[in-house]
Amino acid sequence: MEGATRGSSLIPHPSSFPVWPHRLALLTAICTIPLLFIGGLVTSKGAGLAVPDWPTTFGYNPFLYPWSKMVGNIFFEHSHRLVASGVGFLTTLLAVALWFREPQRWLGWLGAAALALVIIQGVIGGLRVVLVEQTLAVVHACLAQAFFALTVSLALFTSRGWRERPMKLEAADAGRLQRMGVATVGLIYAQVFFGAMLRHTGAMLDMHLVFAFLASLHVILVGLRVFRRHLDQPALFRPALLLNGLLLSQLGLGLGAYLGKFVMTLPATLTVLLRTGHVVVGALMLATSLVVTLRSFGLLVERGPAGQEIATPIALGSGPGRASV
């Protein structure tokens, strides 16, 4: 790397950024995983209407509902509400920390978007119970995964590795990898939608299978491109490797869920775990594919024709400079 210097007067040096926004973003993302699991259990066990009122629980303040009454499916549905409240509280802290402590204003707005999304998600979840509306259940399922992806993005953007990432590298396939990444994220999210439709309405199995194939193909292609051309970039290689490992797990869980639903009778507990695991691993794939894509934009820039200058964006706190691969 030539001509790279630290100390831009326009962007704070990475060491000057607060650490709490990242810690809160990471904690929120981690806590969203068990929330997704419990939410998946609620659907898999058909417990979504076990508590018929909202925002109360059988007339109680939800935080004061007696533990002795949390039996059967009530336990799963009420636990889902309590964990969701905890994630909502963490999201509020995260949004406040980003708004008041984060020097990059766009991250403050992204935190506000996360807070708005978790509020909307809670309201939709409650209305789904009150109105007994399956369409709202599908929307609730899709927004849950979008929220998780957003929290993972916030954890990435506030991380030390992102703030101190090196100068962008010129790569002949940068644009192709970035486009493939965007397509992969879109296909996985479409798969989330069709999966939610299948789980909640029993419809669109054919579309679910078609998009499962397309999403799997793109995950493999992204992995092959990273493995062949960017092995020297751990920030790309590691999540790409994880993404393909998750794909293998997802295919196994999906096959098991399909067999249990359409082909044979499996033990009830195994069926529930297969379906719920399928949902959670799908969310992890969505978030991981997003990390690969965001890092491809953050680390790489398209190499232009010979002799043509490329305006290479500057890393946080860096002065002019460029590098190539």
Side-chain angles (χ1 to χ4, degrees):
M1 184 182 299
E2 299 178 359
T5 60
R6 289 284 183 187
S8 169
S9 60
L10 298 178
I11 303 176
H13 191 279
S15 62
S16 69
F17 285 96
V19 297
W20 275 107
H22 175 63
R23 292 173 179 173
L24 285 170
L26 190 61
L27 180 60
T28 303
I30 291 172
C31 289
T32 303
I33 297 174
L35 176 58
L36 290 168
F37 181 78
I38 297 172
L41 281 178
V42 168
T43 301
S44 298
K45 294 182 70 66
L49 299 177
V51 179
D53 54 333
W54 178 85
T56 56
T57 299
F58 293 105
Y60 285 87
N61 179 318
F63 301 106
L64 301 178
Y65 187 71
W67 283 95
S68 60
K69 295 180 180 291
M70 290 180 60
V71 295
N73 283 345
I74 295 174
F75 171 80
F76 294 104
E77 170 59 15
H78 189 60
S79 296
H80 179 54
R81 296 185 183 190
L82 293 178
V83 175
S85 298
V87 171
F89 177 69
L90 286 174
T91 307
T92 303
L93 294 180
L94 172 60
V96 170
L98 288 170
W99 190 264
F100 290 103
R101 297 286 295 165
E102 174 58 52
Q104 298 185 95
R105 178 49 56 189
W106 67 273
L107 278 176
W109 284 108
L110 202 59
L115 179 58
L117 185 57
V118 80
I119 292 172
I120 293 171
Q121 174 73 340
V123 172
I124 289 177
L127 291 178
R128 180 264 183 276
V129 171
V130 174
L131 301 178
V132 195
E133 177 56 59
Q134 286 291 74
T135 301
L136 291 178
V138 174
V139 175
H140 188 64
C142 294
L143 286 183
Q145 303 229 5
F147 172 76
F148 176 57
L150 179 55
T151 61
V152 170
S153 298
L154 284 168
L156 174 65
F157 292 144
T158 56
S159 67
R160 188 179 185 88
W162 181 269
R163 298 191 194 278
E164 296 183 348
R165 65 191 187 278
M167 302 297 296
K168 286 190 177 183
L169 302 177
E170 289 183 5
D173 71 328
R176 181 180 292 274
L177 177 59
Q178 291 159 359
R179 290 189 295 271
M180 290 173 62
V182 171
T184 302
V185 173
L187 287 169
I188 292 176
Y189 195 69
Q191 175 71 341
V192 166
F193 168 73
F194 291 120
M197 287 292 294
L198 180 61
R199 278 171 62 80
H200 290 282
T201 70
M204 294 194 174
L205 172 62
D206 52 347
M207 295 300 295
H208 185 59
L209 295 176
V210 168
F211 274 83
F213 170 76
L214 293 175
S216 299
L217 178 62
H218 275 71
V219 167
I220 293 171
L221 291 176
V222 167
L224 288 175
R225 181 161 292 274
V226 171
F227 301 154
R228 289 175 178 175
R229 303 197 178 198
H230 302 285
L231 279 176
D232 60 335
Q233 293 290 322
L236 290 175
F237 172 76
R238 290 171 182 168
L241 182 62
L242 174 61
L243 181 59
N244 278 267
L246 289 170
L247 174 61
L248 291 176
S249 299
Q250 184 72 332
L251 291 175
L253 290 168
L255 177 61
Y258 177 86
L259 292 176
K261 185 176 181 67
F262 298 105
V263 178
M264 63 181 67
T265 301
L266 297 176
T269 300
L270 177 59
T271 300
V272 167
L273 291 177
L274 285 171
R275 294 177 182 176
T276 305
H278 193 55
V279 172
V280 174
V281 174
L284 293 173
M285 286 186 64
L286 176 65
T288 306
S289 66
L290 184 58
V291 169
V292 174
T293 302
L294 291 174
R295 283 182 172 174
S296 72
F297 279 98
L299 294 172
L300 305 176
V301 65
E302 188 81 28
R303 176 183 293 157
Q308 177 178 324
E309 289 293 324
I310 297 180
T312 306
I314 299 174
L316 295 178
S318 297
R322 60 187 293 166
S324 62
V325 291

